[in-house]
Amino acid sequence: KAGVTQTPRYLIKTRGQQVTLSCSPISGHRSVSWYQQTPGQGLQFLFEYFSETQRNKGNFPGRFSGRQFSNSRSEMNVSTLELGDSALYLCASSLAGFSKAFFGQGTRLTVV
Amino acid sequence: ELKVEQNPLFLSMQEGKNYTIYCNYSTTSDRLYWYRQDPGKSLESLFVLLSNGAVKQEGRLMASLDTKARLSTLHITAAVHDLSATYFCAVDINSGGSNYKLTFGKGTLLTVNP
């Protein structure tokens, strides 16, 4: 059974640009959540999607957005990148929202 | 605003010893999660605790939840080097319903020495 796949693994972007990250969940999992990890702020919850609907969002500015497709694949987008957006972005999938989550390897975003 | 406090933040143990990591949180919740992260790696889900009094065990790790005290513990029994990692707890403020919104602790860096 394939795990959670995140692409790309590494990304370097310039301030002001936008970026789209992708997450393919485990087959059959309908809940996908996203997290940001930085040395300063630690792990923070970005949002959770279930059946193409965003059910919750963390305390992030509107520059951070996401969506989920009918096949449960999810994307997150960050517009007008800032240096502080440099982070490891993790995606996780689960059967139901509160059941055990499985994480992808993450996308390491560097903003220069 | 929900606050999640883990202690200790750094823990150096000898192999074979027992120790406990504590996770305190500031608001009512009966859903708590424990994760492990190896250096440079992603997160691994360890335990999902969904009610007061819940206890889960896997190998040398045992997690429990006391919702009245707003406290979860992760107990390590007879530590081995392979348990060296950072351990995070996370609290869900959306108890009830299947959706969730997590707040993480800062993590406990555990080093097990021979």
Side-chain angles (χ1 to χ4, degrees):
Chain A
K1 192 173 184 181
V4 178
T5 303
Q6 289 187 248
T7 56
R9 292 289 311 278
Y10 302 92
L11 206 48
I12 300 175
K13 289 286 191 179
T14 304
R15 269 182 304 175
Q17 288 186 312
Q18 74 165 13
V19 66
T20 299
L21 311 182
S22 179
C23 174
S24 293
I26 291 171
S27 177
H29 285 191
R30 294 166 65 190
S31 172
V32 174
S33 54
W34 289 88
Y35 307 84
Q36 182 197 65
Q37 186 174 29
T38 60
Q41 299 297 317
L43 273 164
Q44 296 186 85
F45 173 86
L46 276 159
F47 21 65
E48 187 230 350
Y49 286 89
F50 186 89
S51 293
E52 301 179 67
T53 299
Q54 185 184 91
R55 300 198 294 189
N56 269 306
K57 183 172 180 180
N59 298 327
F60 280 83
R63 300 186 297 108
F64 290 80
S65 62
R67 58 179 176 169
Q68 187 181 33
F69 301 96
S70 58
N71 61 358
S72 292
R73 190 177 71 85
S74 178
E75 289 181 347
M76 66 162 281
N77 184 277
V78 189
S79 62
T80 319
L81 283 165
E82 300 177 0
L83 294 179
D85 297 332
S86 295
L88 178 66
Y89 290 88
L90 295 169
C91 155
S93 76
S94 63
L95 280 170
F98 55 83
S99 56
K100 180 173 179 175
F102 295 83
F103 286 80
Q105 293 303 301
T107 295
R108 173 81 57 189
L109 171 66
T110 302
V111 182
V112 298
Chain B
E1 180 190 339
L2 171 62
K3 291 189 188 326
V4 180
E5 292 185 356
Q6 281 184 242
N7 68 83
L9 296 183
F10 301 93
L11 178 54
S12 182
M13 296 176 63
Q14 279 189 307
E15 279 191 329
K17 298 292 187 184
N18 304 333
Y19 209 89
T20 300
I21 298 171
Y22 298 88
C23 176
N24 292 271
Y25 54 98
S26 63
T27 194
T28 303
S29 174
D30 55 7
R31 291 186 188 171
L32 191 136
Y33 305 78
W34 284 96
Y35 304 91
R36 169 184 171 143
Q37 187 174 39
D38 292 311
K41 303 288 188 184
S42 184
L43 286 177
E44 175 190 355
S45 178
L46 292 175
F47 300 109
V48 179
L49 303 169
L50 298 177
S51 61
N52 185 40
V55 178
K56 297 276 184 77
Q57 182 165 6
E58 185 162 336
R60 301 173 188 275
L61 300 178
M62 183 173 72
S64 65
L65 178 61
D66 181 343
T67 59
K68 292 187 171 68
R70 300 179 185 172
L71 170 69
S72 180
T73 59
L74 180 66
H75 186 71
I76 302 153
T77 302
V80 293
H81 181 69
D82 285 352
L83 289 180
S84 296
T86 299
Y87 293 85
F88 294 93
C89 66
V91 177
D92 180 6
I93 63 171
N94 267 27
S95 298
S98 60
N99 62 85
Y100 62 97
K101 181 174 178 178
L102 301 182
T103 299
F104 287 83
K106 291 190 183 301
T108 297
L109 175 59
L110 171 65
T111 304
V112 182
N113 304 302

